[in-house]
Amino acid sequence: MDLNNVLSRLEVADGGETEELLRRFNRENNHVFTFDQKEEALRRKLCQSVLSVLGRQVQPACQRTCLETLRILSRDKCVLAPVATREGMMTLGAMARLRAGEDGGDDRNSSREDAPSEEEEERVVVEALKCLCNVVYNSPAAQQVSVEVQLANGLCASLRAARTWHHEVGLFTLRLLFLLSALRPDVRGVLRREWHAVKLLTEVLEHTLDVCWVGPYEAARPDSQALPMPAEDNERAMEALKALFNLTLLDAGEEDDHQFRLIAAILRHLLMLKTETEEKTEEAHSHAINLLNNLPVSCLDVLIDVPVQGGLEKHGGKNVDAVQVLIDFMEKRIDKGSNYKEGLTPVLSLLTEGSRQHREIRRYIKAQVLPPLKDVKIRPEIGTAIRNKLVRLMTHVDMGVKQTAAEFLFVLCKESVDNLLKYTGYGNAAGLLVARGLLAGGRGETQYSEDEDSDTEEYNINPITGHVEEPMPNPIEEMTEEQKEYEAQKLAERDSTHGCQAGRDVSASRRNSP
């Protein structure tokens, strides 16, 4: 489509013709993500023209078409100058009902007799939010303007109405908040302190996941026969988790303890849910694990303290269902065999810190990961058990993966070098021991309870290889008396020869001494 022709016709077109021109442009470019560099200036002018149209009293259908055009154009980082202005961002913010800045939203359509339907208005809001997501992502200038017009305030105001959201409105509101908090670290503190975004996002999660509280930090256990979480709810939940992850990267104060425990309880609830596909369930659990890593480690007791629903007697009254989900998740990620750094290390770090600080968590994980050794004649890195898989990771080429896996097993062994060597062998553990200055043995710095002894004391395990080696046969047992006498004579002659040589070496050294 000839952009020069489009621009010239837009200058004189009425609302209907403008809409038709832009619809044609949208159809032809809907799936275009790489644009002709020669037409860059023309596309920039088209951005400006579309913003001018949006500034007029036009019908919602025309607004939506204009916003679709801007969304397509905003894929090009080089043409966003007209949009990345105060006026441009305020226009989009008003269309998205974000009430950005001091001028508030735009209610120009509210008094018209031919007021648009709720569905038409919703489509305009969704397209405006999509535009803002693209513009904020692709334009540092737009990010700065977003701060100046207090777009974060408008987003948090929208979060307060989350219970009335239509799906896409909620989805792209949360995505925009995630993008802004990811790209502008300085906004995170403002979102937390001034707009209470952590609390608002927690409430969004609580509503989206349909949490029913049966205790202070205890959500009702999901019915195993219940239907999976709907895909739309899962999408919104993941966007909320990503935004919360950004906001909780800051240091937590004591006043946040209740809020963080509430988040941990919601995340425990999420870990027990399943979605419509196994892949989406794993993705949701991955975001939950990332967020759990940001919470104070003291809050992780919420994962096992479930007083109303209780736990099995053999786990000291603690409910370890969520911990088992984390262990299963870890093993799945190991079995994938790729992307260990982003896919595996977060859950390993979470289980490590949980085990270091919470005795019940450590005891349960150790029972699953490092059970009492049975077949001790096989090297620890050989096999399909979870211990074997983790030991193999201790010599992984990626330093971060190697250290995280080794630290996890070390903590499960209560940071005892002797116990670690029995489970892993010196060769596999050498990297950790060098890094911790424990080559000579001993323990790490963390203090652990004296409630467990080694499960391997009864075995004579070679600390170098980590397994019990078959005793070497005694070669003398099968020799005849004549063979024994012959071998003894050879040894005697060799010792005599070595003795004479040693004597000559001593004499020579005396002659040469000063």
Side-chain angles (χ1 to χ4, degrees):
M1 191 173 187
D2 184 14
L3 286 182
N4 276 311
N5 183 39
V6 173
L7 288 167
S8 60
R9 291 174 64 183
L10 280 177
E11 291 178 359
V12 296
D14 57 19
E17 188 179 357
T18 295
E19 187 177 347
E20 183 55 38
L21 276 169
L22 295 181
R23 277 184 179 173
R24 183 181 168 194
F25 175 87
N26 296 345
R27 283 194 301 270
E28 293 183 8
N29 294 277
N30 191 39
H31 300 292
V32 175
F33 291 86
T34 304
F35 298 91
D36 186 352
Q37 190 174 358
K38 296 177 182 177
E39 295 184 329
E40 190 176 293
L42 294 175
R43 289 194 301 279
R44 193 177 297 113
K45 288 181 181 178
L46 182 56
C47 279
Q48 184 62 65
S49 296
V50 171
L51 282 172
S52 299
V53 174
L54 286 172
R56 304 175 200 156
Q57 298 264 349
V58 293
Q59 294 291 330
C62 186
Q63 290 177 340
R64 178 182 173 185
T65 302
C66 290
L67 290 168
E68 287 175 350
T69 304
L70 274 182
R71 173 169 55 82
I72 293 169
L73 293 170
S74 65
R75 298 166 183 168
D76 184 356
K77 299 179 181 181
C78 300
V79 304
L80 294 177
V83 188
T85 61
R86 186 180 183 86
E87 181 183 1
M89 295 299 288
M90 292 286 286
T91 297
L92 291 178
M95 293 283 177
R97 292 184 187 169
L98 294 180
R99 312 300 189 198
E102 69 276 12
D103 295 331
D106 189 340
D107 293 320
R108 64 167 67 106
N109 290 323
S110 59
S111 62
R112 295 213 320 255
E113 293 182 2
D114 57 340
S117 69
E118 183 180 346
E119 184 179 353
E120 289 176 320
E121 289 186 335
E122 181 193 338
R123 295 314 308 167
V124 171
V125 172
V126 170
E127 281 300 327
L129 287 168
K130 288 180 179 179
C131 280
L132 283 168
C133 287
N134 279 6
V135 172
V136 167
Y137 179 72
N138 284 320
S139 171
Q143 295 162 23
Q144 178 59 38
V145 174
S146 297
V147 175
E148 294 170 2
V149 302
Q150 297 186 354
L151 189 63
N153 182 13
L155 287 166
C156 290
S158 183
L159 292 182
R160 295 186 184 95
R163 291 182 180 274
T164 64
W165 274 344
H166 293 282
H167 167 61
E168 285 194 301
V169 172
L171 179 67
F172 289 104
T173 299
L174 291 166
R175 185 166 297 172
L176 182 56
L177 182 61
F178 160 69
L179 289 170
L180 190 60
S181 60
L183 297 168
R184 289 297 300 242
D186 56 318
V187 175
R188 296 171 193 164
V190 176
L191 281 165
R192 282 185 60 169
R193 291 188 305 271
E194 297 185 21
W195 310 122
H196 310 292
V198 170
K199 182 176 184 295
L200 291 170
L201 285 167
T202 304
E203 292 171 354
V204 170
L205 266 181
E206 185 179 344
H207 166 66
T208 303
L209 299 176
D210 196 23
V211 175
C212 177
W213 296 107
V214 295
Y217 302 115
E218 182 179 357
R221 181 181 300 165
D223 186 351
S224 59
Q225 303 301 318
L227 294 174
M229 180 168 48
E232 290 185 350
D233 290 351
N234 186 45
E235 281 186 306
R236 293 198 308 280
M238 286 194 287
E239 292 297 332
L241 290 171
K242 286 156 58 179
L244 270 172
F245 176 84
N246 290 339
L247 297 184
T248 53
L249 282 170
L250 299 173
D251 292 335
E254 291 183 5
E255 69 279 7
D256 294 318
D257 185 69
H258 165 70
Q259 193 64 49
F260 288 143
R261 287 182 170 273
L262 205 59
I263 293 172
I266 294 173
L267 295 178
R268 181 193 184 280
H269 178 76
L270 175 58
L271 289 172
M272 304 312 300
L273 294 175
K274 294 190 181 298
T275 64
E276 294 181 339
T277 68
E278 186 176 342
E279 182 181 357
K280 285 296 181 183
T281 299
E282 187 175 332
E283 185 180 359
H285 289 178
S286 177
H287 289 303
I289 288 165
N290 290 339
L291 181 52
L292 280 168
N293 270 301
N294 281 359
L295 303 185
V297 70
S298 59
C299 296
L300 296 184
D301 59 354
V302 173
L303 295 179
I304 57 174
D305 286 341
V306 192
V308 175
Q309 295 160 104
L312 299 176
E313 189 64 32
K314 63 180 179 181
H315 300 306
K318 303 298 182 181
N319 189 311
V320 295
D321 291 347
V323 178
Q324 184 60 54
V325 171
L326 295 174
I327 294 172
D328 294 341
F329 179 93
M330 173 185 67
E331 189 165 13
K332 284 181 183 177
R333 287 297 171 96
I334 294 175
D335 291 343
K336 280 191 173 181
S338 61
N339 195 25
Y340 282 154
K341 190 164 188 177
E342 295 180 5
L344 176 62
T345 54
V347 68
L348 277 176
S349 297
L350 177 63
L351 292 174
T352 300
E353 292 308 309
S355 299
R356 198 192 304 273
Q357 300 295 328
H358 299 282
R359 170 190 169 204
E360 295 87 356
I361 292 177
R362 173 176 52 79
R363 292 186 69 181
Y364 179 75
I365 294 176
K366 184 183 178 186
Q368 308 306 309
V369 175
L370 297 178
L373 297 175
K374 295 180 180 179
D375 193 348
V376 292
K377 296 181 180 179
I378 300 176
R379 294 173 70 97
E381 66 270 22
I382 297 174
T384 58
I386 190 168
R387 174 179 75 107
N388 308 132
K389 297 173 184 179
L390 286 164
V391 171
R392 287 196 289 271
L393 288 179
M394 295 175 76
T395 55
H396 194 271
V397 293
D398 186 292
M399 185 64 69
V401 174
K402 176 168 66 175
Q403 290 176 342
T404 308
E407 187 75 12
F408 174 51
L409 293 175
F410 192 43
V411 168
L412 292 186
C413 293
K414 296 197 293 187
E415 300 189 20
S416 164
V417 173
D418 289 343
N419 284 344
L420 179 70
L421 294 181
K422 289 175 183 177
Y423 280 110
T424 69
Y426 183 86
N428 294 311
L432 172 76
L433 300 181
V434 169
R436 297 285 293 264
L438 294 171
L439 280 173
R443 284 187 177 272
E445 297 177 356
T446 308
Q447 297 297 316
Y448 293 89
S449 60
E450 298 297 331
D451 58 338
E452 305 149 73
D453 293 320
S454 169
D455 298 312
T456 61
E457 293 293 347
E458 65 271 27
Y459 299 115
N460 184 23
I461 294 177
N462 185 328
I464 302 299
T465 61
H467 75 298
V468 174
E469 297 177 342
E470 293 289 345
M472 295 296 289
N474 187 344
I476 297 180
E477 290 181 357
E478 298 182 1
M479 288 185 180
T480 64
E481 291 301 321
E482 291 78 3
Q483 288 174 321
K484 291 178 184 178
E485 185 176 346
Y486 174 73
E487 292 296 334
Q489 183 64 33
K490 283 175 60 177
L491 287 173
E493 290 175 357
R494 186 180 67 184
D495 291 343
S496 174
T497 303
H498 288 171
C500 293
Q501 181 61 43
R504 288 194 293 272
D505 291 343
V506 169
S507 299
S509 98
R510 286 174 179 169
R511 287 196 301 273
N512 295 329
S513 60

